[in-house]
Amino acid sequence: MIEVARPIEQQVIPLEDTVVKIYRSAKVVKGGRRFHFEALVVVGDRSGTVGIGYGKANEVPAAVEKGIKDAKKNLVRVALEGGTIPHPVIGKFGATKIILVPASPGTGVKAGLSARAVLEYAGIRDVLTKIYGSTSAKNVVKATMQALLKLRSRQMVEEIRQVSLFGDHSGQTQEGTNVQPSDHSDSRAAS
């Protein structure tokens, strides 16, 4: 059986990274406030591999570097169909729920900043999204990753179910054809 998460071994693949959000936290001490920073980062190769990371440090550049390092440890492969996703999917994390719907070519990534970063670095060029609940960047990024991990390509479904979805469908009705009621339905109605 195929695993839900498909981790990628760290190999030599050209990865791009972007900072989704920088958080500043303050600790109040006797002499004033001491700040430290957290960075939410997305890395990906724009062709099906994406990862998210979170880094904390006393300075922004160090937090970003730690976030990139963490994201490279959490790389996963997602199922794509051309420039979009194979089917509609829902991802949830905390109080955030995101719905991803495949779109026709030329639509673009219709998403907010946080979800857009994950989707674009995963290599998705056409998708529609809707977020319900919390719109916190951390939750949206994690919910988007959860949704992407639920995606299944046609080949993956065939392997899991042990059937051929492209096989001979003789004897079965095709979509859009009229189906005549059988004689069995009449006999049940008469009794």
Side-chain angles (χ1 to χ4, degrees), residues 41-67:
V41 181
V42 175
V43 300
D45 64 355
R46 295 186 187 261
S47 62
T49 304
V50 68
I52 58 172
Y54 195 67
K56 302 177 190 179
N58 290 331
E59 300 295 331
V60 174
V64 171
E65 282 301 314
K66 286 181 180 180

Short mmCIF file of all heavy atoms in Angstrom, two decimals, residues 41-67:
data_model
loop_
_atom_site.label_atom_id
_atom_site.label_comp_id
_atom_site.label_asym_id
_atom_site.label_seq_id
_atom_site.Cartn_x
_atom_site.Cartn_y
_atom_site.Cartn_z
N VAL A 41 8.69 29.33 6.32
CA VAL A 41 9.33 29.26 5.01
C VAL A 41 8.76 28.11 4.20
O VAL A 41 8.42 27.06 4.75
CB VAL A 41 10.86 29.05 5.20
CG1 VAL A 41 11.57 28.99 3.87
CG2 VAL A 41 11.45 30.16 6.04
N VAL A 42 8.66 28.32 2.87
CA VAL A 42 8.25 27.26 1.95
C VAL A 42 9.37 27.06 0.94
O VAL A 42 9.92 28.04 0.41
CB VAL A 42 6.95 27.65 1.20
CG1 VAL A 42 6.60 26.61 0.14
CG2 VAL A 42 5.81 27.83 2.16
N VAL A 43 9.74 25.79 0.68
CA VAL A 43 10.71 25.48 -0.37
C VAL A 43 10.06 24.49 -1.34
O VAL A 43 9.19 23.71 -0.96
CB VAL A 43 12.03 24.89 0.17
CG1 VAL A 43 12.71 25.85 1.11
CG2 VAL A 43 11.83 23.55 0.83
N GLY A 44 10.49 24.55 -2.59
CA GLY A 44 9.95 23.63 -3.59
C GLY A 44 10.71 23.75 -4.89
O GLY A 44 11.48 24.69 -5.10
N ASP A 45 10.47 22.77 -5.78
CA ASP A 45 11.14 22.80 -7.08
C ASP A 45 10.19 23.18 -8.20
O ASP A 45 10.55 23.14 -9.37
CB ASP A 45 11.79 21.44 -7.38
CG ASP A 45 10.78 20.32 -7.50
OD1 ASP A 45 9.58 20.55 -7.27
OD2 ASP A 45 11.20 19.20 -7.84
N ARG A 46 8.96 23.54 -7.88
CA ARG A 46 7.93 23.94 -8.84
C ARG A 46 7.57 22.82 -9.82
O ARG A 46 7.09 23.09 -10.91
CB ARG A 46 8.33 25.20 -9.60
CG ARG A 46 8.45 26.42 -8.71
CD ARG A 46 8.71 27.67 -9.52
NE ARG A 46 8.99 28.81 -8.67
CZ ARG A 46 8.10 29.74 -8.33
NH1 ARG A 46 6.87 29.65 -8.77
NH2 ARG A 46 8.44 30.75 -7.57
N SER A 47 7.82 21.57 -9.43
CA SER A 47 7.41 20.45 -10.29
C SER A 47 6.95 19.26 -9.46
O SER A 47 7.21 18.12 -9.81
CB SER A 47 8.54 20.06 -11.23
OG SER A 47 9.66 19.62 -10.51
N GLY A 48 6.31 19.52 -8.33
CA GLY A 48 5.73 18.44 -7.55
C GLY A 48 6.37 18.18 -6.20
O GLY A 48 5.88 17.36 -5.44
N THR A 49 7.46 18.86 -5.87
CA THR A 49 8.11 18.66 -4.58
C THR A 49 8.01 19.95 -3.78
O THR A 49 8.35 21.02 -4.27
CB THR A 49 9.60 18.30 -4.76
OG1 THR A 49 9.68 17.13 -5.57
CG2 THR A 49 10.26 18.03 -3.43
N VAL A 50 7.53 19.85 -2.53
CA VAL A 50 7.35 21.04 -1.70
C VAL A 50 7.55 20.67 -0.24
O VAL A 50 7.33 19.53 0.16
CB VAL A 50 5.96 21.69 -1.94
CG1 VAL A 50 4.86 20.81 -1.42
CG2 VAL A 50 5.86 23.07 -1.34
N GLY A 51 7.97 21.64 0.56
CA GLY A 51 8.14 21.43 2.00
C GLY A 51 7.96 22.74 2.74
O GLY A 51 8.20 23.82 2.19
N ILE A 52 7.54 22.66 4.01
CA ILE A 52 7.40 23.85 4.83
C ILE A 52 8.31 23.72 6.04
O ILE A 52 8.57 22.62 6.51
CB ILE A 52 5.95 24.10 5.27
CG1 ILE A 52 5.39 22.91 6.06
CG2 ILE A 52 5.08 24.42 4.09
CD1 ILE A 52 4.03 23.17 6.67
N GLY A 53 8.80 24.85 6.52
CA GLY A 53 9.69 24.84 7.67
C GLY A 53 9.47 26.06 8.54
O GLY A 53 8.92 27.07 8.10
N TYR A 54 9.92 25.93 9.79
CA TYR A 54 9.75 26.99 10.77
C TYR A 54 11.05 27.14 11.53
O TYR A 54 11.57 26.17 12.07
CB TYR A 54 8.60 26.60 11.71
CG TYR A 54 8.06 27.72 12.53
CD1 TYR A 54 7.38 28.78 11.94
CD2 TYR A 54 8.20 27.72 13.92
CE1 TYR A 54 6.87 29.81 12.71
CE2 TYR A 54 7.69 28.75 14.68
CZ TYR A 54 7.02 29.79 14.08
OH TYR A 54 6.52 30.81 14.83
N GLY A 55 11.61 28.34 11.55
CA GLY A 55 12.87 28.57 12.24
C GLY A 55 12.76 29.72 13.22
O GLY A 55 12.06 30.70 12.97
N LYS A 56 13.46 29.59 14.36
CA LYS A 56 13.46 30.65 15.37
C LYS A 56 14.90 31.04 15.68
O LYS A 56 15.76 30.18 15.77
CB LYS A 56 12.82 30.14 16.67
CG LYS A 56 11.41 29.65 16.54
CD LYS A 56 10.94 29.13 17.88
CE LYS A 56 9.64 28.41 17.77
NZ LYS A 56 9.20 27.88 19.06
N ALA A 57 15.12 32.34 15.85
CA ALA A 57 16.46 32.82 16.19
C ALA A 57 16.34 34.25 16.71
O ALA A 57 15.27 34.86 16.67
CB ALA A 57 17.38 32.77 14.98
N ASN A 58 17.47 34.78 17.17
CA ASN A 58 17.50 36.15 17.68
C ASN A 58 17.56 37.19 16.56
O ASN A 58 17.30 38.36 16.80
CB ASN A 58 18.69 36.35 18.63
CG ASN A 58 18.50 35.59 19.92
OD1 ASN A 58 17.36 35.38 20.36
ND2 ASN A 58 19.59 35.16 20.52
N GLU A 59 17.91 36.77 15.36
CA GLU A 59 17.97 37.67 14.21
C GLU A 59 17.17 37.07 13.07
O GLU A 59 17.05 35.85 12.96
CB GLU A 59 19.42 37.88 13.76
CG GLU A 59 20.32 38.48 14.83
CD GLU A 59 19.94 39.89 15.22
OE1 GLU A 59 19.38 40.62 14.36
OE2 GLU A 59 20.16 40.28 16.38
N VAL A 60 16.66 37.92 12.18
CA VAL A 60 15.82 37.45 11.07
C VAL A 60 16.57 36.52 10.11
O VAL A 60 16.07 35.44 9.78
CB VAL A 60 15.20 38.65 10.31
CG1 VAL A 60 14.45 38.17 9.07
CG2 VAL A 60 14.26 39.41 11.22
N PRO A 61 17.78 36.88 9.62
CA PRO A 61 18.46 35.99 8.66
C PRO A 61 18.73 34.59 9.23
O PRO A 61 18.58 33.60 8.51
CB PRO A 61 19.78 36.72 8.36
CG PRO A 61 19.51 38.14 8.68
CD PRO A 61 18.54 38.12 9.81
N ALA A 62 19.07 34.52 10.50
CA ALA A 62 19.32 33.21 11.12
C ALA A 62 18.02 32.41 11.21
O ALA A 62 18.01 31.19 10.97
CB ALA A 62 19.93 33.40 12.50
N ALA A 63 16.91 33.07 11.51
CA ALA A 63 15.62 32.38 11.58
C ALA A 63 15.21 31.86 10.21
O ALA A 63 14.72 30.73 10.08
CB ALA A 63 14.55 33.33 12.12
N VAL A 64 15.45 32.65 9.17
CA VAL A 64 15.13 32.22 7.80
C VAL A 64 15.97 31.01 7.41
O VAL A 64 15.47 30.04 6.84
CB VAL A 64 15.31 33.38 6.80
CG1 VAL A 64 15.19 32.89 5.37
CG2 VAL A 64 14.29 34.48 7.07
N GLU A 65 17.27 31.05 7.71
CA GLU A 65 18.15 29.92 7.39
C GLU A 65 17.70 28.64 8.09
O GLU A 65 17.67 27.57 7.50
CB GLU A 65 19.60 30.23 7.78
CG GLU A 65 20.30 31.13 6.81
CD GLU A 65 20.35 30.55 5.40
OE1 GLU A 65 20.68 29.35 5.24
OE2 GLU A 65 20.05 31.30 4.45
N LYS A 66 17.32 28.77 9.36
CA LYS A 66 16.83 27.60 10.11
C LYS A 66 15.52 27.09 9.51
O LYS A 66 15.30 25.88 9.43
CB LYS A 66 16.62 27.94 11.59
CG LYS A 66 17.91 28.09 12.36
CD LYS A 66 17.60 28.40 13.81
CE LYS A 66 18.86 28.56 14.63
NZ LYS A 66 18.57 28.85 16.05
N GLY A 67 14.67 28.00 9.08
CA GLY A 67 13.41 27.62 8.45
C GLY A 67 13.62 26.87 7.15
O GLY A 67 12.96 25.87 6.87
#
